Amino acid sequence: MVRIGNGQGFWGDSPDAAYEQVTRGPLDYLGLDYLAEVTLSIMMRQRLRDPHKGFATDFVGFLRRALPIIAAKGIRVVTNAGGLNPTGCRDEIFKLARELGIRGLAVGVIEGDDLLPRLGELCALGHHLESMETGQRLCDQRHKVLSANAYLGARPVAQALDGGAQIVLAGRVTDTALALGPLIPEFG
């Protein structure tokens, strides 16, 4: 049996339900979803102002309260709170862990969803990246594009967990990856 709790619905959602799951229930994994589509545009604007930003800062706030319990109970956390800067989020988590006196915390970072650096290459290869709503080609508007992200699946989450991560930070992953990712290493 594997017990997976899920919380958050978007960046800014109340962390109380997730905290209740961590403190009250028997829990093996906690999946936290912070990324609605509009959230990525907010994160990009923050990152353009400060390259160390671009992640869900309220996740770090949640961890300030919950990390000692998560560490003590061995709960593993899977989240897309990394947004557009999972390594920046990881750095903040390590800083927080040091402040809280928590040692040995393993944080896995999933990268590969950011397509912006490869947008020119993809367009040159003939990937038109057409809008589902308007049919307009993204490649024709490249100069206006601030962010381009692809959904990753559950396998990278499973690999990070198999590698020993207690917290897995992703950017854009499918909603199902937050629950399916832990099930892969548990049940194959």
Side-chain angles (χ1 to χ4, degrees):
M1 177 177 10
V2 176
R3 293 170 294 243
I4 302 173
N6 288 288
Q8 302 304 110
F10 52 88
W11 185 18
D13 196 1
S14 172
D16 292 342
Y19 186 75
E20 288 285 318
Q21 291 178 71
V22 167
T23 57
R24 297 180 69 187
L27 193 64
D28 300 306
Y29 295 91
L30 178 64
L32 298 172
D33 181 7
Y34 288 86
L35 296 184
E37 281 69 19
V38 72
T39 305
L40 288 172
S41 64
I42 294 167
M43 289 177 170
M44 179 50 77
R45 290 182 191 277
Q46 290 179 335
R47 191 160 187 200
L48 288 171
R49 286 191 297 269
D50 181 348
H52 301 292
K53 300 292 182 196
F55 56 87
T57 54
D58 55 343
F59 174 60
V60 179
F62 164 74
L63 287 180
R64 179 169 295 287
R65 190 171 151 201
L67 188 57
I69 301 160
I70 288 168
K73 290 185 173 185
I75 298 169
R76 299 175 88 180
V77 179
V78 177
T79 182
N80 59 11
L84 298 175
N85 189 3
T87 56
C89 189
R90 178 205 58 206
D91 294 345
E92 287 299 311
I93 292 168
F94 284 150
K95 180 180 170 184
L96 174 63
R98 283 190 300 273
E99 288 175 20
L100 297 174
I102 296 170
R103 299 190 191 287
L105 182 67
V107 179
V109 173
I110 296 173
E111 298 177 315
D113 65 300
D114 182 4
L115 298 180
L116 191 60
R118 296 189 53 217
L119 199 52
E121 171 192 348
L122 292 169
C123 291
L125 289 171
H127 299 287
H128 302 297
L129 306 171
E130 294 176 1
S131 169
M132 292 173 21
E133 296 174 3
T134 67
Q136 190 173 29
R137 293 179 177 189
L138 183 65
C139 294
D140 297 337
Q141 303 292 318
R142 275 196 352 233
H143 63 285
K144 295 181 182 179
V145 177
L146 297 177
S147 175
N149 296 79
Y151 281 97
L152 301 179
R155 294 266 178 223
V157 173
Q159 290 171 340
L161 292 168
D162 276 340
Q166 184 167 8
I167 296 175
V168 178
L169 284 174
R172 206 43 151 158
V173 292
T174 61
D175 295 347
T176 56
L178 300 178
L180 184 58
L183 294 176
I184 294 171
E186 291 285 345
F187 298 111

